[in-house]
Amino acid sequence: DVVMTQSPLSLPVTLGQPASISCRSSQSLVFSDGNTYLSWFQQRPGQSPRRLIYKVSNRDSGVPDRFSGSGSGTDFTLKISRVEAEDVGVYYCMQGTHWPSSFGGGTKVEVK
Amino acid sequence: QVQLQESGPGLVKPSETLSLTCTVSGGSVYDGSYYWSWIRQSPEKGLEYIGYVYYSGSTRYSPSLKSRVTISIDTSKNQFSLKLSSVTAADTAVYYCARVPGVDILNFGMDVWGQGTTVIVSS
């Protein structure tokens, strides 16, 4: 299976400040069609995961534009330009290029 | 708006079969743009993809669970189901059903999730 490694494990952030989460895959996530199937999910406390970003950098409908995704190949990043209180939770990357799909271990974003 | 809801026993005895159903509302499992998946989450293993079923009934399972998993679909009831046999304590987890835009092995990311149901394996 493709191993997805996220860092950091925990990310204390001051409200209004930026945050950045790294995700690395053990294999390239570029598919033969030229697309890269890397998604980001947010899981707030007590809730199900929610997709924020798909295919590296495409934001889902309703997702604030302070969230952005970037990267290529095996290295990817989720950035929050200015953290708000509602952003507290655990963030996961997931690769959907290789079977089976696999998730990173998660990064917990908390307010300092 | 499409919604998914898991249902099934919250407690299963070791060596028995775990059975869960996901009911889809606001949309149809007969939509060929999606496949219908099961994912589980535990503190030990994190988020783990179990497999999916397509509206046609075709399935694909994670190799680590393939020998014990069956996912099926009932288009008349707008439901799909998970069966996991010979369970052990390691199968204790929150089980989610989800809708996945995708093609064959490609997973574009689960865009609708159920609320999740906790299953505990214990005698």
Side-chain angles (χ1 to χ4, degrees), chain A residues 38-40 51-54 56-60 68-69 78:
Chain A
L38 186 284
S39 302
W40 287 96
R51 194 181 70 180
L52 299 176
I53 302 278
Y54 61 95
V56 180
S57 60
N58 295 273
R59 236 183 347 263
D60 269 278
S68 64
L78 176 70

Side-chain angles (χ1 to χ4, degrees), chain B residues 6-20:
Chain B
E6 305 89 350
S7 59
L11 181 63
V12 182
K13 289 183 168 56
S15 79
E16 295 190 346
T17 296
L18 177 161
S19 295
L20 296 174

Side-chain angles (χ1 to χ4, degrees), chain A residues 1 31 33 37 39 41 43 47-51 54-55 60 92 94-101 103, chain B residues 35 39 41 47-49 51-52 60-63 96 101 105-111 113-116:
Chain A
D1 293 7
F31 191 64
D33 64 0
Y37 297 96
S39 302
F41 296 86
Q43 188 172 30
Q47 295 187 11
S48 305
R50 164 201 180 197
R51 194 181 70 180
Y54 61 95
K55 284 201 289 184
D60 269 278
Y92 298 93
M94 186 211 76
Q95 69 83 18
T97 299
H98 303 280
W99 185 261
S101 303
F103 294 86
Chain B
Y35 45 79
I39 303 102
Q41 184 175 31
L47 287 162
E48 183 179 13
Y49 194 67
Y52 73 73
R60 192 180 286 269
Y61 305 132
S62 174
Y96 295 99
I105 68 165
L106 297 175
N107 182 339
F108 302 168
M110 301 79 177
D111 65 349
W113 294 67
Q115 67 182 30

Side-chain angles (χ1 to χ4, degrees), chain B residues 1-3 24-28 78 99:
Chain B
Q1 185 178 0
V2 177
Q3 293 184 314
V24 179
S25 59
S28 172
N78 222 27
R99 187 181 79 170

Side-chain angles (χ1 to χ4, degrees), chain B residues 54-113:
Chain B
Y54 198 45
Y55 77 96
S56 61
S58 65
T59 55
R60 192 180 286 269
Y61 305 132
S62 174
S64 64
L65 295 169
K66 187 175 183 178
S67 63
R68 299 194 290 131
V69 171
T70 302
I71 300 176
S72 59
I73 195 163
D74 187 335
T75 54
S76 67
K77 293 182 179 179
N78 222 27
Q79 296 176 333
F80 60 105
S81 299
L82 168 71
K83 290 188 186 302
L84 182 66
S85 64
S86 304
V87 297
T88 69
D91 295 309
T92 294
V94 177
Y95 285 76
Y96 295 99
C97 59
R99 187 181 79 170
V100 182
V103 176
D104 194 28
I105 68 165
L106 297 175
N107 182 339
F108 302 168
M110 301 79 177
D111 65 349
V112 182
W113 294 67

